[in-house]
Amino acid sequence: MDNNILNKYRPGLRFNDGGEAEIVLWAPDVQKAEVVLTSAGNTIPLTKQELGYWTTTTSLIKRGDYYKFRLNDEKELSDPASLYLPEGVHGPSMAINLNGFIWSDGNWINHTLEDYLLYEIHTGTFTPEGTFAAIEEKLDYLKELGITAIEIMPVAQFPGDRNWGYDGVAPFAVQHSYGGAEGLQHLVNACHRKNIAVVLDVVYNHLGPEGNYLPEFGPYFTSKYTTPWGVAVNFDDEYSYAVRQYFIENALMWFRDFHIDALRMDAVHAIKDFSPVHILREIRQEVDKLMSETGKKHYLIVELDLNDTRFINPVEQGGYGMDAQWIDEFHHALRVTAGEEKTGYYSDFNGIAHLAKGYQDAYVYDGQFSRHRKKFFGIKAENNPGSQFIVFSQNHDQVGNRMYGERINSLLSFEMKKLVAGAVLLSPYLPMLFMGEEWVEPHPFLYFVSHTDPQLAESVREGRKEEFAAFHGRGEAPDPISEETFQESKLQWHLIEEEPHKTVLNFYKKLISLRKTHPVLKNSGRKEMRVSCDETTETLVLHRWFENHMIVCLMNFSEKEQQIMIPETKESWKKIIHSSDTEWKGKTDFPEEFSPGETITLRPESVLVLE
C-alpha cells in the first residue's frame, strides 16, 4: 500500500488543533458528495481528490453537531467512519473529538504477554446496568481475583441495545447504550489505574446485517469469496486499497485514541486475502510503527480455527506477526475429557490422550487426519512459546452457541468444575476466564439480538429454531429477540457471598495467586514440561520445571479413586493445593508431604499440585 498517498486520507471527521473539522470520505463512483448538517439543514460541499476520496476542512461543524453525507443529491447516509451514533445505526453521525479526553495513565506500562491473565466480559450482561461505567465499579473485585487483563466483547455500534457485538455495522463508533467513546476511554483509564490491561474484541471479517451502509459508498465487499456471513470484506479485489486502509486505521484508532492494550481479532480464518502482504501482516507493520512513535506496547491476538503457525510467527520469519491466538482444541479436548458428548466438532477428540497432547504440543491436530474436517489438518507448533496460545474451559462461543446457553458449571459435578479450572490455570499457556465462571454462575449466556427490522428479527428467530431442530425433543430454543433472554444472561453478583459459589471463588483465587507467584507456573516455556496420561484410569500427570524449581500436577478425571505414582526426585514433595481438600470450607485433611516415587490415592475428579 502506498502510505504516502493514503496517509493523507484518514477516513471520517476529526477536529484539528485549530478547531476546524477535517472530513474525509471514500466514495469512488460518486459524482457529487456533500455534508448535510441535519440540525441546521446546511450543506457543505466536498472536493473530489485522487483515488476516489472526497475531502473538506470547515469551521461550520462544531462538536456535538449531527451530520450525514449526501451522495449524488439523493441518498443521505451516516459517516461510514462515524465515531458516535447516539440515535442508533440508522441515525445521523455526531461530530466528537476523541482527543478531548483527559488521560491520567501516562505512567501505565502494559504487562508482558506472559503475565496476561484474561477475563472475558460482555458489557451488557456483566452488570445489571450493562455499561462501561458499571464495569468500573467491579474493577476492585477483578483486581482482588488476580485478573491482569479484561477482554471486552465487541463494542462497535450495533442495532438496538442488546447484542453479542458481532453484528456491529459501524466499526469506528462505540455502542451508545454502553456509554459511547468517552465511556470506553474512561473505563480504559480506570483499568490502567488498577494495573489492569484492556483487550478489545474487533471484527474485521464481516459486518452485521442491519444498518450496514458501507456498500452504498464503495466496494467494501467482494463476491470473489464467501464467508459464513455472506460475501467477504474486500481485502484484495479492485479498490481494496481503501478498504485495507479503513480497517488498518480502525486498529490504530483503538490503540492511539482509546489506549487499548491489545486487540482480539474475531475469526481471522474468515478473512480472505491473497495480496502479497496479507492484511494481518500489514496491520502488524503499522502497529509496530505506532509503537515506535509512542513507546507504548500493544498486542495483536487472533481467534484462529486453523492450526497454522504462519499467523503467529514473526514477520521476519515470513509470518503475519500476530502475538497470540485462541486455541479451541485445548478446550475441546478438556471438555471431552470432562465428559462432553463426542458430537459435532467434539467428535475429533478422544479425551485425555488428546488433552495430554494439547499440553505438550499446543495443537492437537498437527498433520493427522481429522474425521470432522474430513482432511489432514494442521502443522506442528514446535518453536512457539506457551504465551502465544490462549486456553479456556469456556468462552462466549462455547457457552452461547449451545441451545440453552449452558455454562460448563451446570454440566459438571462440583468437584469436576474445580478440576477443569485447575487444568486451565496450571497449563503453560495464557489462561482466560469467562465472566462469572469463577463463582460458577448458574445463569446461562444465551444468544440475543435486538434488530429493529421486524423481518430480519423474525428471520433470526426462525434461523435459531432451525439450527436446533434436532433438539426439539428438549424443547424450544430461547427467543433471541426477547428482552427476557437478555436479562436471563446477566450475572448474579450476590452469589459471590453464598455457598457453594463462595467456596469455588476462593479456590479460583488460590489457583490464580499460585499461577502468578510460583516460578514454574509463571514460566510459559513449553520445553520445560513432560506430560503423561493413563486412558484406562483417566489420570494425567503434568510435570513442569523452571531452573531449580519443579512442580507436578496430578489430575484424576474419573469418578473413582485412582492410584498414581509421584515422580522420583532427590527431595520429598510438598503439597501446594488439592482441589478436594476441605480447606475451602475451613480445614484440610490431606497429607502435606510425600516421598519420591510414592504411590498415592488420588480422589475422584480432583487435582493435586506438589512442589
Side-chain angles (χ1 to χ4, degrees):
M1 181 183 294
D2 187 347
N3 291 313
N4 293 326
I5 296 177
L6 295 177
N7 282 344
K8 296 192 302 183
Y9 302 118
R10 288 172 54 193
L13 184 153
R14 290 171 178 79
F15 290 98
N16 60 28
D17 293 339
E20 295 177 305
E22 298 179 350
I23 301 173
V24 174
L25 171 69
W26 182 65
D29 295 326
V30 168
Q31 304 306 311
K32 180 181 179 182
E34 53 195 345
V35 180
V36 178
L37 294 177
T38 58
S39 53
N42 297 340
T43 60
I44 303 167
L46 296 174
T47 302
K48 190 166 189 178
Q49 308 289 351
E50 58 200 329
L51 299 176
Y53 289 96
W54 298 77
T55 66
T56 193
T57 299
T58 178
S59 59
L60 296 178
I61 299 179
K62 307 298 183 185
R63 293 170 180 81
D65 284 347
Y66 288 86
Y67 70 98
K68 284 190 172 185
F69 289 121
R70 181 183 293 154
L71 308 181
N72 294 333
D73 291 324
E74 297 174 355
K75 298 176 181 176
E76 292 188 6
L77 303 166
S78 59
D79 188 345
S82 174
L83 298 175
Y84 196 29
L85 290 165
E87 296 182 7
V89 297
H90 303 295
S93 305
M94 178 188 280
I96 64 171
N97 181 17
L98 293 181
N99 295 325
F101 184 80
I102 306 300
W103 292 93
S104 61
D105 67 347
N107 294 325
W108 161 255
I109 299 176
N110 195 1
H111 301 298
T112 62
L113 197 56
E114 289 83 352
D115 290 332
Y116 266 43
L117 202 155
L118 296 121
Y119 189 94
E120 188 182 21
I121 288 174
H122 177 268
T123 302
T125 57
F126 183 61
T127 63
E129 300 85 354
T131 63
F132 298 133
I135 294 176
E136 287 188 42
E137 298 298 317
K138 302 298 184 184
L139 293 182
D140 284 337
Y141 163 83
L142 293 172
K143 187 173 178 64
E144 182 187 358
L145 177 61
I147 298 304
T148 61
I150 61 171
E151 180 172 311
I152 304 173
M153 289 173 63
V155 300
Q157 186 80 34
F158 51 75
D161 56 11
R162 304 187 305 276
N163 199 289
W164 278 15
Y166 301 95
D167 286 325
V169 291
F172 289 80
V174 179
Q175 177 66 19
H176 73 284
S177 60
Y178 291 168
E182 186 173 356
L184 180 58
Q185 289 175 318
H186 201 280
L187 172 59
V188 175
N189 201 43
C191 286
H192 289 170
R193 286 201 305 270
K194 302 290 185 182
N195 203 33
I196 297 173
V198 181
V199 183
L200 182 64
D201 198 340
V202 294
V203 184
Y204 295 161
N205 52 45
H206 76 284
L207 270 71
E210 181 183 350
N212 176 12
Y213 296 111
L214 289 187
E216 303 284 352
F217 293 94
Y220 280 86
F221 300 89
T222 174
S223 57
K224 277 177 62 175
Y225 318 107
T226 58
T227 73
W229 309 280
V231 295
V233 176
N234 178 18
F235 286 121
D236 69 358
D237 205 354
E238 295 178 350
Y239 294 102
S240 60
Y241 60 87
V243 182
R244 296 171 71 90
Q245 180 215 23
Y246 179 86
F247 286 98
I248 291 169
E249 176 58 29
N250 184 261
L252 295 176
M253 178 193 74
W254 298 119
F255 293 144
R256 182 187 59 236
D257 302 327
F258 288 87
H259 294 200
I260 294 294
D261 298 292
L263 295 181
R264 179 267 191 191
M265 290 184 270
D266 178 67
V268 297
H269 47 271
I271 291 176
K272 310 297 183 181
D273 183 12
F274 285 92
S275 303
V277 179
H278 192 279
I279 184 62
L280 295 179
R281 182 171 178 172
E282 188 165 8
I283 290 173
R284 169 82 276 162
Q285 292 169 335
E286 293 302 315
V287 171
D288 286 348
K289 289 179 186 177
L290 176 68
M291 292 194 299
S292 68
E293 295 167 2
T294 64
K296 298 293 184 180
K297 181 66 176 177
H298 304 290
Y299 302 113
L300 296 171
I301 299 167
V302 293
E303 179 193 20
L304 178 63
D305 188 30
L306 301 172
N307 294 357
D308 186 350
T309 55
R310 172 176 43 179
F311 286 80
I312 56 175
N313 284 341
V315 170
E316 55 269 23
Q317 294 179 16
Y320 298 159
M322 301 295 99
D323 293 291
Q325 70 165 100
W326 278 26
I327 184 162
D328 281 350
E329 287 195 334
F330 183 93
H331 166 273
H332 300 343
L334 177 59
R335 292 292 294 268
V336 171
T337 303
E340 182 75 41
E341 189 177 347
K342 297 178 184 179
T343 59
Y345 48 72
Y346 289 122
S347 64
D348 259 349
F349 298 87
N350 63 18
I352 202 162
H354 276 164
L355 178 59
K357 190 174 191 310
Y359 277 120
Q360 195 72 62
D361 298 332
Y363 297 150
V364 173
Y365 281 85
D366 49 16
Q368 303 89 335
F369 185 79
S370 159
R371 289 179 298 167
H372 178 68
R373 298 176 186 267
K374 297 178 177 60
K375 64 179 181 180
F376 291 91
F377 180 68
I379 59 173
K380 292 188 179 298
E382 295 177 320
N383 300 311
N384 302 90
S387 59
Q388 286 201 292
F389 303 98
I390 295 172
V391 298
F392 34 80
S393 67
Q394 52 194 313
N395 60 39
H396 72 273
D397 270 333
Q398 304 301 337
V399 175
N401 285 332
R402 301 178 71 92
M403 179 174 172
Y404 291 120
E406 306 102 323
R407 294 165 172 268
I408 195 173
N409 317 329
S410 63
L411 302 171
L412 303 178
S413 71
F414 183 72
E415 294 301 327
M416 184 64 86
K417 294 169 191 174
K418 291 185 288 179
L419 170 54
V420 165
V424 171
L425 287 161
L426 297 168
S427 77
Y429 307 120
L430 299 188
M432 185 181 77
L433 310 185
F434 182 58
M435 58 178 194
E437 78 164 76
E438 72 278 14
W439 73 74
V440 289
E441 167 62 57
H443 266 185
F445 183 70
L446 296 160
Y447 179 70
F448 48 81
V449 295
S450 53
H451 292 308
T452 60
D453 179 339
Q455 186 174 355
L456 178 59
E458 184 58 29
S459 176
V460 170
R461 182 182 287 118
E462 292 302 315
R464 193 70 174 169
K465 289 180 180 179
E466 183 178 341
E467 181 179 357
F468 295 107
F471 298 91
H472 278 178
R474 296 173 52 196
E476 291 289 332
D479 181 1
I481 312 299
S482 169
E483 169 81 17
E484 183 180 350
T485 299
F486 172 69
Q487 294 296 333
E488 192 179 350
S489 299
K490 285 183 178 280
L491 298 185
Q492 303 172 88
W493 282 91
H494 66 277
L495 295 179
I496 62 176
E497 297 297 334
E498 301 176 10
E499 293 294 354
H501 310 282
K502 189 174 182 178
T503 292
V504 181
L505 178 57
N506 287 337
F507 180 67
Y508 266 86
K509 287 180 179 179
K510 175 69 174 178
L511 270 178
I512 290 170
S513 175
L514 187 61
R515 165 92 191 194
K516 294 172 68 175
T517 58
H518 198 284
V520 173
L521 296 177
K522 286 174 62 177
N523 175 39
S524 62
R526 292 171 49 215
K527 307 262 184 215
E528 299 85 10
M529 177 178 60
R530 185 168 60 250
V531 188
S532 62
C533 71
D534 186 324
E535 294 183 74
T536 303
T537 61
E538 297 179 75
T539 56
L540 184 146
V541 178
L542 179 63
H543 193 177
R544 298 182 60 190
W545 58 90
F546 178 68
E547 295 178 346
N548 61 335
H549 302 278
M550 186 180 301
I551 69 164
V552 62
C553 310
L554 309 173
M555 305 181 198
N556 178 9
F557 286 90
S558 78
E559 296 178 350
K560 301 177 182 178
E561 290 184 343
Q562 299 293 350
Q563 301 298 305
I564 193 164
M565 189 177 77
I566 298 172
E568 291 276 5
T569 54
K570 294 180 179 179
E571 300 178 26
S572 61
W573 291 92
K574 294 182 180 179
K575 186 188 75 171
I576 304 179
I577 188 173
H578 186 211
S579 63
S580 61
D581 268 350
T582 53
E583 69 179 281
W584 312 117
K585 295 182 180 178
K587 65 177 183 177
T588 181
D589 59 358
F590 204 75
E592 297 295 319
E593 193 166 327
F594 302 87
S595 302
E598 179 180 348
T599 296
I600 66 168
T601 300
L602 195 58
R603 291 175 181 165
E605 300 179 342
S606 70
V607 55
L608 171 64
V609 184
L610 309 175
E611 66 175 345

